[in-house]
Amino acid sequence: NAGVTQTPKFQVLKTGQSMTLQCAQDMNHNSMYWYRQDPGMGLRLIYYSASEGTTDKGEVPNGYNVSRLNKREFSLRLESAAPSQTSVYFCASSATGKGNQPQHFGDGTRLSIL
Amino acid sequence: KNQVEQSPQSLIILEGKNCTLQCNYTVSPFSNLRWYKQDTGRGPVSLTIMTFSENTKSNGRYTATLDADTKQSSLHITASQLSDSASYICVVGSYGQNFVFGPGTRLSVLP
């Protein structure tokens, strides 16, 4: 009963380093999302993929890239990490992305940029 | 500006007591309103989803209400348990894949 799996759970990077956050879902969902959660703020959408083969920018896409590798996997890449990207990153999926479909979240990747 | 506000910011109650959390929003156009529970160190988990035509929805001891005219929602927790200690997040869905998340209310249930 895995649901949405994110790796790694924790990561520390130096400014300028790159890394890829991995996300996989086993619910055969079409839509997948990447959010960041900062203290005192609501989750903010970075990128989403409405279906396999498509990706679109969210509210805060600058400094990030994504790849929808297949229906199961949606990765988030930081090309040149900055301290402002220190955050908790959540991946989510939903069946269709329409109004009555809940989003299922992973348990997050806690990322610190020094 | 699309915005979701929640009150109170934090709340402490004794086990067995009831409580109500508030959500006000200015998101337009409105599609749906969701409440999520987020345990410390975990991802949010869906509690309820209400569309424009629904004004109440229950999930066990959790009951959400929606007043689309005043753009307000509440989450009522009955007979609280220690496991209810968590953050509760109000989310308003708009067109397409646009969801606006509130900052959450941190609930602590004490024995």
Side-chain angles (χ1 to χ4, degrees), chain A residues 33 37 48 99 101 103 106-107, chain B residues 34 36 38 41-43 97 102:
Chain A
Y33 312 80
Q37 185 176 39
Y48 68 94
Q101 298 293 325
Q103 290 181 315
D107 283 336
Chain B
R34 303 150 179 245
Y36 285 86
Q38 185 176 21
R42 305 296 300 274
Q97 308 277 357

Side-chain angles (χ1 to χ4, degrees), chain A residues 33 35 37 42-43 48 90 97-99 101-103 105-107 110, chain B residues 31-32 34 36 38 41-44 46 49 96-97 99 101-103:
Chain A
Y33 312 80
Y35 292 93
Q37 185 176 39
L43 275 75
Y48 68 94
F90 287 98
K98 292 184 178 178
Q101 298 293 325
Q103 290 181 315
F105 287 83
D107 283 336
R110 284 143 188 84
Chain B
S31 174
N32 57 85
R34 303 150 179 245
Y36 285 86
Q38 185 176 21
R42 305 296 300 274
S46 179
I49 300 175
Q97 308 277 357
F99 297 98
F101 286 72

Side-chain angles (χ1 to χ4, degrees), chain A residues 19-21 34 46-47 55 57 60-68 74-80 85:
Chain A
M19 80 160 295
T20 299
L21 281 62
W34 276 106
I46 304 171
Y47 272 93
T55 60
K57 295 179 180 179
V60 289
N62 290 344
Y64 306 94
N65 286 301
V66 291
S67 295
R68 183 74 182 266
F74 188 38
S75 63
L76 178 71
R77 183 162 178 82
L78 286 70
E79 292 291 352
S80 179
Q85 295 178 304

Side-chain angles (χ1 to χ4, degrees), chain A residues 8 11 14-15 38 64 70 73 75 77-78 82 90 94 105:
Chain A
Q11 184 71 48
K14 294 181 179 179
T15 298
D38 299 299
Y64 306 94
N70 47 56
E73 298 172 289
S75 63
R77 183 162 178 82
L78 286 70
F90 287 98
S94 66
F105 287 83

Side-chain angles (χ1 to χ4, degrees), chain B residues 21-41:
Chain B
L21 313 180
Q22 301 291 341
C23 172
N24 297 327
Y25 61 92
T26 58
V27 178
S28 182
F30 173 89
S31 174
N32 57 85
L33 189 142
R34 303 150 179 245
W35 283 94
Y36 285 86
K37 178 187 179 187
Q38 185 176 21
D39 292 319
T40 300

